[in-house]
Amino acid sequence: MVILGIETSCDETAAAVVRDGKEILSNVVYSQDIHAEYGGVVPELASRDHIKNIIPVVKKSLHDANVSLSDLDAVAVTQSPGLIGSLLVGLSFAKSLSFSLDIPLVTVNHLEGHIYANFLTYPGLEPPLIGLIVSGGHTDLLIIEERGKYRLLGSTLDDACGEAFDKVGNLLGLSYPGGPEIEKMAESGDPRAISFPIGRVKGYDFSFSGLKTAVLYYLRKLAEEEKGMQKANIAASFQKTAITMLVKKSVKAMSETKIMRIAISGGVAANEQLRETFSREAKKKGFNVYFPDKMLCTDNAAMIGSCGYDHYKRGDIAPLSIKAEPTTLIY
Ligand code: KG4
Ligand code: ZN
């Protein structure tokens, strides 16, 4: 079964062709560069750019997969959560394909899509698992009870983890998105140079805004000439603190649920330090940790096509009247 996946929930216009939910025949991601000068995504510009890019991106995904429109058995698309204008472009396009080709429309939740990046990377991986979604919009710790059945343990009370990377990147004068830039800058810094507060949030919830503000105050105290010298240390120390927060709550979730396996996904899961820290901790504490291939961590449509396949198998077909939803979650 050949599914075309479409993803336009934020600032990536993406299309992918996936066979039987697990074989990626093509995976095209166009990252909009128009937002860099604003230091963040401008929703109206994002939706206009999706309109411009959706046809070339879908065409390229078909071309790369060596299939034509008539080979498609279904179209899967992100319907929630995300920027409403951005979601509408992908959803409307998917509806028109479904109608004109007379193939089923399957709608996918973006967060469930992120979880499927791990199922794509490890085809034998099956729940139960602890899930940690760390992206620009979400930081969610959950139990993946089975495919399609999720229970939220905790999430961020303020900034998402990726959002904190982006905001701290901004404070350090780095370009948007700040996550990969901070990772690069941190390579030449000392993660133990500055001790930023870990934040004491109860249960499984997270908070990143205090850490971000601590970086702001630290920078304010520095003399102008010290700032340049300290940037790498700030990046490394911030990164280490953010990762420590994620590890702490994840380990707590695993020891309390006795599910000693964790699947991490979302843009921040591409961070090498995060991957190394979790892997080290896994060896020490005896759990298994799974990360998607790096290209499947950040937004892409292969994860949407893969997740869409399971929805299709369950008979979960969407009517053409379905609406885009900016905030619906899966738990
Ligand atoms: O999953 P994603 O592509 O989009 C959302 O669903 O939000 O995640 C984007 C987020 C951004 O905040 C970006 O800075 C962060 O993921 N990110 C990273 C890295 N690559 C992307 N954060 C830290 N280290 C990275 N290497
Ligand atoms: Zn995402």
Side-chain angles (χ1 to χ4, degrees), residues 55-112:
I55 291 176
V57 164
V58 168
K59 272 192 173 160
K60 180 159 167 44
S61 73
L62 297 174
H63 176 268
D64 289 0
N66 203 16
V67 299
S68 59
L69 284 173
S70 58
D71 296 319
L72 299 179
D73 296 304
V75 54
V77 63
T78 306
Q79 173 253 345
S80 178
L83 300 170
I84 187 71
S86 291
L87 288 167
L88 274 172
V89 178
L91 182 61
S92 311
F93 191 83
K95 282 181 184 178
S96 61
L97 273 184
S98 156
F99 181 70
S100 56
L101 299 172
D102 197 19
I103 55 174
L105 172 73
V106 181
T107 54
V108 170
N109 181 287
H110 183 78
L111 298 170
E112 188 176 19

Side-chain angles (χ1 to χ4, degrees), residues 7 9 110-111 114 135-137 266-267 297-300 303:
E7 154 65 42
S9 66
H110 183 78
L111 298 170
H114 273 305
S135 71
C297 287
T298 42
D299 288 350
N300 66 86
M303 66 188 196

